[in-house]
Amino acid sequence: MTMSPDTDKIRRFIEDQFLVEFDASFPEDTDLFREGVMDSFGYVQLHRFLEAEYGITFALEDMTGNVLVSLASIRAYVTEKTAARAAS
Amino acid sequence: MCGIVGFLGPASRDPGATGTVSAMLGAIAHRGPDDAGAFLDATCAMGTARLAIIDPALGAQPVCDPGERYWLCYNGEIYNYRELRAELEALGRPFRTHSDTEVLLQAWLQWGEACLPRLNGGFAFALYDRRTATLVLARDRYGKRPLFYAWHRGTFYFASEMKAFLAVPGFGFAFDPDQLAAILGQWTPLPHQTGFSGIDSLPLGTCLTLTETSATLRRFSGIAFDDGPAIGSRGEAIERIRQQMRESVALRLCSDVEVGVYMSGGLDSAIIARLARDALPRLSTFSIAFEDAEFDESAEQQELAAALDTRHSTLRIRHADMVAAFPDAVFHAEVPAFRSAFVPMFLLSQRTRASGVKVVLSGEGADEAFLGYDLFKETRLRADWDSLDEATRTERLAQLYPHLSHYGPQDVAATTGLYQQFSREHLPGLFSHELRFQNGRFSARLLKQAGDPFAAVGRLAAEEPGFAAMTPVEKAQWLEYQTLLPGYLLSTQGDRMALAHGVENRCPFLDPAVVALASAVNLRFDDGFEEKALLRAAFADCLPSSVVRKRKFPYRAPESAAFASLRPDYLELVLSEAELAKLPFIDQRFARALAQKVLSRDPAEISTKENQTFIFLLSIALLNRDFVAGGRRPGAAPQVRIADFRPVPVPA
């Protein structure tokens, strides 16, 4: 049996890092680039956080696939990666 | 260097007109502490506060022609005035002084508006024709010297600095939230913007002609990248750069008072110092050092000063100096600032003036002309992104922003993901600046309603003839010539800080011939990934190798860490609910969250965008206190020589 990762930490990290609050007016599938929330430093910080917190190593091909664009897509990606690692 | 003020319309017929023009001069007396003079007739009043540089004895202003029909108030230097004078004398034009001011007047009388593109220099002036009651305002092509204007109670007012309007009876300042959104988004005002409602900046390279019933704005010069000479080889390019820079520095050493050099420790000012030292028997150089090692370049400065044998002066900046000078520096800047690096320049001009030097050369303009910024490399990389293989992308990413830790090799996967997002144009025409503007979007969240912060700059680009046909790098350069260069480097960090203490700054890299030459050689003999490669090669044999080899190290200064550690009283302006309420357009919740985070966390946790946004917020709050709420009153009116042509009232 595998445990789902606690991806709420990602939400808290993004809220703290980018001074936003996810709610009905700012849903989790918001494109953080298009909304002007994500900047270069913050994006790299987020990337480092995910690597450290969930033990994920990002490959270059992952990064050209628009995976770190919204909280929803990041949650899905982290869940998938950790599940794949547990299964291997 | 000087400051000019004036007005056209009913106020000039007011009995208080003399007092108003004198008080306006008093508000900008720091720009010209040596002398003040004014002209008035029934339509127009104007005056000059003068910093005497050329022909100190006879160059008093305003100047007029022998028939006293044309009057000129002038701020700036025209470096080719000797050649123009010779040409004008050959045409029979009379001269009474040796000043460039009189050359400008005679050039206007000879050639009219057609003289403007011929002027090599930084200038802003007001020229009035008594016979036709017509006023002309003009400003140089790069925006080196400022000129602001506003309408108030049916009268047109103008001044070198907006603080002169504080001396106009009944004049009120109010922020323009749409302009603030643009400033926050793109870091600086656009050429016509000021951040205040109803106050415009005369755009670069334009000329405004006014009567009491008409106003016409025309552009006399723009930024072009196809007007350079034909250069056949890399060797020829290097030789021409040497020669052109030597000529440009020589022109800017022309002065009747001592000329010094601001030396940052980087390549551009080192070239200027080298060339100035070659031309002068002795040279004074001035540098800023930081107690905070993160920002300090004093090792290179000392090495350079020793190598060039200059009389060197270093001003060491501590956090306490930054915090103490910040409100005064913001008052002089007059527009919201996105970084704090202008504050040490305010203190450096004070030191420079105290040492007896009132003219300095500095390196502004080199990075725009010779592609010194990483922005240009980044633009090339993103534009070519889809056609590059993984290895080339990684190699080029490794060459970008060496001073930013998040561009290190350990983060290449993340930066690849980032560049993937920014490899398509989302803001029409603004592709080159989209990554930068992303930081700006965060700052724009300071406003309750930011709208589209990039609508105005998008329109500016769309309306520029020839913009669409420019290469991605040329578009990036053009945008730099419209935003960061005039809106911050030449103004907030340049003219305003230098003239706050009566120091004139001159920029040899902003000679039109240098800029045209750079356009002719850029990316023709190298791929641009070693920034300013030709410039380095041109001066490699006459500067210390450490300076020639050094990568671009952006000039920056301590930011939120200084405020967090010293907690000056004026932070209340952004921490107190009651104070923030005085800024009705600010999103209080976001502003408070930002201020709390920036002032309470370890500075290492504070990102560039958060620092920038905090400096924006603090500078807006201080400008609100000093300009909008009337917290500062202009200084006392100086002794002003008056030429009064108003009809003498007939006794009742």
Side-chain angles (χ1 to χ4, degrees), chain B residues 63-81:
Chain B
V63 298
C64 63
D65 68 312
E68 297 185 329
R69 172 178 169 181
Y70 296 96
W71 288 78
L72 175 65
C73 290
Y74 163 62
N75 165 209
E77 302 291 347
I78 292 168
Y79 302 117
N80 59 338
Y81 78 100

Side-chain angles (χ1 to χ4, degrees), chain A residues 16 19 33 38 48 66, chain B residues 411 421 438 445 589 601:
Chain A
D16 179 70
L19 296 178
F33 284 101
M38 196 85 88
R48 289 176 183 167
N66 299 336
Chain B
D411 290 312
Q421 293 298 322
Q438 198 72 359
R445 289 173 57 204
R589 193 167 149 192
R601 299 277 183 89

Side-chain angles (χ1 to χ4, degrees), chain B residues 53 74 78 85 187 204 228 243 266 328 398 402 501 515 566 568 636 646:
Chain B
I53 305 290
Y74 163 62
I78 292 168
R85 178 179 174 132
W187 293 2
L204 331 172
Q243 176 198 337
D328 285 340
H501 296 111
V515 174
L566 292 158
R646 290 176 299 175

Side-chain angles (χ1 to χ4, degrees), chain B residues 96-177:
Chain B
R96 291 178 292 182
T97 73
H98 295 284
S99 75
D100 58 337
T101 312
E102 195 181 10
V103 172
L104 172 58
L105 177 65
Q106 291 296 340
W108 183 273
L109 298 185
Q110 181 67 35
W111 297 306
E113 207 173 304
C115 78
L116 296 174
R118 304 186 62 179
L119 307 178
N120 176 6
F123 60 84
F125 68 80
L127 192 146
Y128 180 67
D129 177 351
R130 281 179 61 211
R131 188 175 302 168
T132 61
T134 303
L135 176 70
V136 174
L137 304 182
R139 188 170 175 225
D140 69 82
R141 71 192 78 196
Y142 300 117
K144 283 211 66 200
R145 300 303 164 203
L147 196 48
F148 300 98
Y149 62 90
W151 291 90
H152 172 59
R153 295 176 182 165
T155 292
F156 174 88
Y157 290 85
F158 64 90
S160 297
E161 295 185 15
M162 291 185 277
K163 53 182 67 68
F165 300 143
L166 289 169
V168 175
F171 192 97
F173 283 80
F175 280 117
D176 179 330

Side-chain angles (χ1 to χ4, degrees), chain B residues 339-418:
Chain B
R339 59 170 67 140
S340 63
F342 63 102
V343 180
M345 300 303 287
F346 175 78
L347 296 168
L348 185 64
S349 70
Q350 191 174 39
R351 160 71 68 89
T352 303
R353 181 69 194 219
S355 74
V357 172
K358 56 182 182 179
V359 180
V360 291
L361 309 187
S362 59
E364 285 85 2
D367 289 319
E368 292 77 5
F370 287 98
L371 307 182
Y373 294 132
D374 281 272
L375 172 77
F376 302 122
K377 296 183 234 175
E378 178 210 306
T379 298
R380 289 200 88 187
L381 173 56
R382 292 193 289 111
D384 297 342
W385 188 256
D386 286 348
S387 65
L388 300 177
D389 59 35
E390 203 172 89
T392 309
R393 288 175 178 174
T394 301
E395 180 195 331
R396 294 199 174 167
L397 278 169
Q399 292 173 284
L400 295 179
Y401 301 104
H403 58 285
L404 296 178
S405 64
H406 62 281
Y407 272 83
Q410 73 282 5
D411 290 312
V412 69
T415 45
T416 297
L418 183 73

Side-chain angles (χ1 to χ4, degrees), chain B residues 489-548:
Chain B
L489 296 171
L490 295 179
S491 50
T492 293
Q493 193 171 287
D495 173 278
R496 246 53 100 236
M497 295 305 109
L499 270 299
H501 296 111
V503 173
E504 173 180 316
N505 59 322
R506 300 177 172 183
C507 306
F509 283 102
L510 284 175
D511 188 298
V514 171
V515 174
L517 176 61
S519 296
V521 300
N522 283 338
L523 303 179
R524 284 199 50 213
F525 307 106
D526 62 275
D527 67 3
F529 276 84
E530 182 200 349
E531 75 263 11
K532 296 184 283 198
L534 291 175
L535 200 55
R536 284 174 204 281
F539 295 95
D541 60 352
C542 56
L543 290 171
S545 61
S546 59
V547 172
V548 175

Side-chain angles (χ1 to χ4, degrees), chain B residues 305-320:
Chain B
L308 301 183
D309 186 25
T310 69
R311 193 172 57 179
H312 190 61
S313 172
T314 299
L315 180 65
R316 182 165 289 275
I317 302 288
R318 304 162 302 152
H319 282 191

Side-chain angles (χ1 to χ4, degrees), chain B residues 537-560:
Chain B
F539 295 95
D541 60 352
C542 56
L543 290 171
S545 61
S546 59
V547 172
V548 175
R549 284 199 312 269
K550 190 181 172 192
R551 293 286 307 272
K552 174 78 186 164
F553 183 83
Y555 164 65
R556 289 163 51 238
E559 297 184 308
S560 57

